[in-house]
Amino acid sequence: MKRLIDISKSITLFLLSLTTFLFAFTDRIVLPVWLQVAGKLHPLILHLPIGIIVLILILVLLRSQFESEQFKKLITYSLLITTLTSAITVFFGLLLSLDGEYGFDALQRHKVSGLIIGWLSYISLIFYQSSFKQKALKYGIISVLFVLLIFVGHTGAELTHGENFVFSPLQVSEPTLNPENASVYQLAVMPILEKKCFTCHNESKTKGKLLMTVADKFKKGGESGLAFITGNPDSSRMIQYIHLPFTDDNHMPPAGKTQLTEFEISLLEAWIKSGADFTKKLGEFSLPDTFVTLANQAIKSKLQPEKVEYNFESVSAATIKNLNTPFRTIFPIYAKSPALEVNFFVSDYFKIEALKELTEINKQIVTVNLSKMPITDEDLKVFSSFENLEVLNLNFTKLTGPGIANLKSCKNLKSVSLAGTKITSESLLPLLTLPSLNSVYIWNTNITDMQKTDLEKKYPKINFLLTQFKDENMVAISRPNLINEGILQKEDKIELKHNMPGVTIRYTIDGTQPDSVTGLIYQQPIAIDESVKLKAIACKSGWYCSPLFESSVYLAGVKPEQVKLLKPTHKKYPGTGAISLIDGVKGYIEEFKSPDWLGFIDTSFEASFDFGKNATALNKVVVSYGDYMNQGIFPPTELQIWGNKQGNFKLLATQKIAAPKAYNPLNVSFITASWEKSNYSTYKVIVKPNGKLPQWHGAKGQKGWFFVDEVLFY
């Protein structure tokens, strides 16, 4: 046994010495992969020394229950195991720290305190085995070891759970946030990030070098680029990672941690789309949009003053699950409450049957949100049986007024939102006699300020809200739609459409920007004789013109007899081989793992196209590529076209692209090269990818990807 103890002590001393040496030269260490795996075991094995140190302290407190010699052996073996496991834990912890995902100050505190506890446990073992007679001093060192353990645990918890995690219950609570003293971000968005994101992206632990707890740092993004692109949630990395499969290493939050709900995802997407503002308060948003609607729901839930006790029975979880759909969510207003809230989404998919189905749980529903749904006055008859309904949102529905009388049976109704409808002050009267009603939202309706004043005099207990979010400015209409996506055949024409009547669509196909004055007016399908870059806007009197619609529209070219890749693709993105280049199928953005795309990063794209002996005279090539800079997928830098008729290739044309100076919206674009018309039997196309990402990019210095899907000849 003595030999085993000596061997264990030697191993411990070696590990502690090695760890101390490595600690001194941390910035020069490059770990092999197998040691990186070992570092990941640190969170697993750290519980061993913790548990044994606690056990030793308990044994010390109960030492009178043991025989002297027996007790000494028990403590010796326990200290031996503690010392060895502490040394292993400290060594693995140092390996894990080299990941670079943690804040320097907090990491240093944890590393130093961890080293100290490793050495102190070793010293405790040596001291306890010595012939020193002062038992109180021996046991005192064990007590110090326990106290230090608490500090080490505290610094470790800061890294994994956020600053002051252990002692946070002892802190004085901060002032309560409300819509008057806090921004919508603080009230609605930040609470989601705190629960689901901040534990890995804080001052102590910055996974991917993304710090989300400080707004300015959050905006700058991490090592992979921007976390979000203002106004474009679909292109924002944080949203993309949320939607990745659970099996994907980049899925966020990581598997095993609490995932975001559909409502939380919708709110984050709406926040980014609305401008990702960190400071604006609720009253400063001038237009009722999706973000304002969702934020209001989140804030209302957060600021709920008390949990109302309801005397009706709960609905089973199975029933709620069966009634939930992608366009209708049903959930308790707070945990374990029998009262339910219902929200409807996507007006194009709304059917009145979806509302009628709720009669099965009409007694439990207290809140219904039908904002922007195509609800009519006739449809309000459904609510005649909703006896416990308290809050009803009918903003921007098709109500004109007569159907309001159908709500008279909702005796518990407290708040009704009718903004953006065609109701009148007269049509409101049947509603205003309800005993519990205290708020009616009537902004952007036919009700005037004078009529509102009259209503307030007659019904002083009701708060009529007419000015909140009222906006006298014009609103932008939506973009026009391209009907025939994909690669057009020679007989096809570009077809544009807008769902709103009376809209004028202006467009260009030469790369210039259309506006309300310039650009061709779309009157009939557009004929093209080559691939074009279509830009279009929709305009209407009394409205702002729509945001710009852009699309690369491809026209099928002369198809070669054979195509061959002269350099291999990256192994992860082989597509279906060379045939992907001439299969007439347009690749779609964000689907780069589909067979339509070929990916290159370490080599240029080179392919030969054989048109046979009876080659048609050609003078232009179009190479379609993906432009997704947020993911490191960049436009190419140069296109070369070579011709071969009698065994020797001749350079026919070169086209270069200027390096982008900022992020572009993700899209599928193309580069062209033209030459004097000729009938070469074989053409070679060479496209050079971006060899080094620019300084402004989040992954600056790394190689850029090039993705190609079609090569067309004319």
Side-chain angles (χ1 to χ4, degrees), residues 658-694:
K661 297 181 179 180
Y663 288 97
N664 291 334
L666 69 166
N667 67 93
V668 177
S669 190
F670 62 84
I671 180 174
T672 66
S674 301
W675 61 93
E676 186 177 344
K677 184 167 284 192
S678 57
N679 57 348
Y680 289 98
S681 59
T682 304
Y683 293 89
K684 180 169 66 175
V685 175
I686 299 176
V687 181
K688 297 180 180 180
N690 194 307
K692 191 175 182 181
L693 298 185

Side-chain angles (χ1 to χ4, degrees), residues 370-630:
L370 285 158
S371 177
K372 299 182 181 179
M373 296 299 114
I375 289 290
T376 65
D377 292 84
E378 180 71 16
D379 297 333
L380 294 187
K381 289 181 179 179
V382 175
F383 291 107
S384 60
S385 62
F386 286 54
E387 57 188 81
N388 293 311
L389 185 64
E390 296 178 359
V391 179
L392 180 59
N393 186 341
L394 297 167
N395 290 342
F396 299 95
T397 56
K398 294 184 178 181
L399 297 183
T400 58
I404 296 294
N406 292 309
L407 302 176
K408 288 178 65 176
S409 59
C410 301
K411 302 298 182 183
N412 291 308
L413 197 59
K414 297 177 181 178
S415 173
V416 180
S417 299
L418 298 163
T421 65
K422 296 180 180 180
I423 55 121
T424 62
S425 59
E426 290 78 13
S427 62
L428 276 182
L429 297 180
L431 183 68
L432 304 182
T433 58
L434 292 176
S436 300
L437 191 67
N438 55 44
S439 299
V440 181
Y441 295 82
I442 52 175
W443 35 275
N444 285 11
T445 65
N446 294 323
I447 299 174
T448 64
D449 289 322
M450 185 176 296
Q451 290 172 328
K452 177 206 170 194
T453 302
D454 290 340
L455 290 172
E456 288 174 332
K457 290 178 181 178
K458 293 179 182 179
Y459 304 95
K461 293 183 179 180
I462 300 176
N463 184 19
F464 295 92
L465 292 96
L466 179 59
T467 57
Q468 185 180 13
F469 299 126
K470 189 169 183 180
D471 181 36
E472 303 296 341
N473 296 319
M474 292 186 294
V475 180
I477 58 178
S478 59
R479 294 178 177 86
N481 299 315
L482 176 63
I483 301 301
N484 43 356
E485 284 278 0
I487 297 180
L488 305 184
Q489 299 303 312
K490 290 187 177 180
E491 64 275 11
D492 295 333
K493 297 180 180 180
I494 299 174
E495 295 183 44
L496 297 172
K497 180 184 177 182
H498 199 282
N499 294 325
M500 182 181 290
V503 167
T504 299
I505 298 176
R506 288 187 176 270
Y507 72 93
T508 63
I509 56 175
D510 59 1
T512 59
Q513 195 94 347
D515 57 33
S516 59
V517 177
T518 62
L520 301 171
I521 296 177
Y522 179 78
Q523 295 176 322
Q524 59 187 6
I526 307 163
I528 56 174
D529 56 9
E530 63 179 342
S531 299
V532 297
K533 293 183 178 180
L534 172 70
K535 296 185 178 182
I537 59 171
C539 299
K540 184 176 181 179
S541 178
W543 297 70
Y544 286 122
C545 290
S546 73
L548 182 68
F549 170 81
E550 295 184 76
S551 180
S552 295
V553 181
Y554 298 101
L555 183 68
V558 179
K559 193 170 182 177
E561 293 181 1
Q562 291 184 348
V563 59
K564 180 181 179 181
L565 285 175
L566 303 178
K567 287 191 176 181
T569 66
H570 190 278
K571 61 182 180 180
K572 288 186 177 180
Y573 306 101
T576 53
I579 198 65
S580 295
L581 303 171
I582 58 171
D583 61 3
V585 180
K586 181 180 178 182
Y588 288 94
I589 204 68
E590 294 190 85
E591 296 182 14
F592 290 107
K593 290 185 178 180
S594 73
D596 304 323
W597 290 103
L598 304 179
F600 298 83
I601 189 170
D602 295 316
T603 65
S604 59
F605 161 65
E606 296 187 17
S608 64
F609 300 83
D610 187 352
F611 289 86
K613 296 180 180 179
N614 301 316
T616 304
L618 304 172
N619 71 332
K620 180 177 286 189
V621 66
V622 170
V623 178
S624 173
Y625 64 85
D627 188 349
Y628 196 0
M629 296 185 193
N630 198 39

